[in-house]
Amino acid sequence: MPLVLDFIAEAAEHLESAEAGLLALESKPGDKEVINQIFRGFHTIKGMAGFLNLTDIGSLAHSAENLLDLVRKDKLVLTEEITNVIFESIDMLKKMIAGLKQAVETDK
């Protein structure tokens, strides 16, 4: 279980960072460094979730990562709608990770 607990803590940090990054983009739209930072957070969550076989969490993180990758490669413009989808992804991942944490704590 220690690996899952580490994942929960690290994923929470990445999600907080992604949220802060999205808020920062409101004042600096198109800031590639911030977009890359948000992308890396989702990429890391996806990788860790895959390692732990948390397929639903990994799948959602992968979808958000793909969307951000299109923005990074200038194939999509980071519109308000896309930003809202990323915020919704963060919210859902937080709920999923909170559910995972509760399940782990209940199993102890």
Side-chain angles (χ1 to χ4, degrees):
M1 273 320 151
L3 279 178
V4 174
L5 293 174
D6 288 347
F7 166 75
I8 291 167
E10 193 171 334
E13 289 175 18
H14 285 296
L15 292 173
E16 291 300 322
S17 176
E19 215 165 30
L22 284 173
L23 293 171
L25 285 175
E26 289 179 359
S27 61
K28 298 187 289 186
D31 185 321
K32 291 290 188 190
E33 192 174 318
V34 175
I35 292 167
N36 283 328
Q37 169 218 326
I38 298 166
F39 170 86
R40 282 191 303 272
F42 282 107
H43 179 75
T44 302
I45 290 170
K46 177 194 77 173
M48 292 185 311
F51 177 75
L52 294 170
N53 206 27
L54 302 169
T55 52
D56 290 344
I57 292 172
S59 179
L60 179 53
H62 184 66
S63 295
E65 174 195 37
N66 283 343
L67 192 56
L68 287 161
D69 197 36
L70 292 172
V71 172
R72 285 176 47 195
K73 293 177 178 172
D74 294 321
K75 294 183 179 180
L76 269 182
V77 175
L78 189 64
T79 61
E80 185 178 342
E81 290 83 7
I82 292 174
T83 301
N84 287 340
V85 168
I86 302 297
F87 272 123
E88 288 171 18
S89 299
I90 290 169
D91 288 345
M92 182 53 69
L93 283 166
K94 284 182 179 181
K95 288 176 185 165
M96 294 167 87
I97 291 167
L100 176 64
K101 183 177 182 184
Q102 186 175 17
V104 168
E105 290 173 348
T106 302
D107 275 356
K108 286 185 180 177

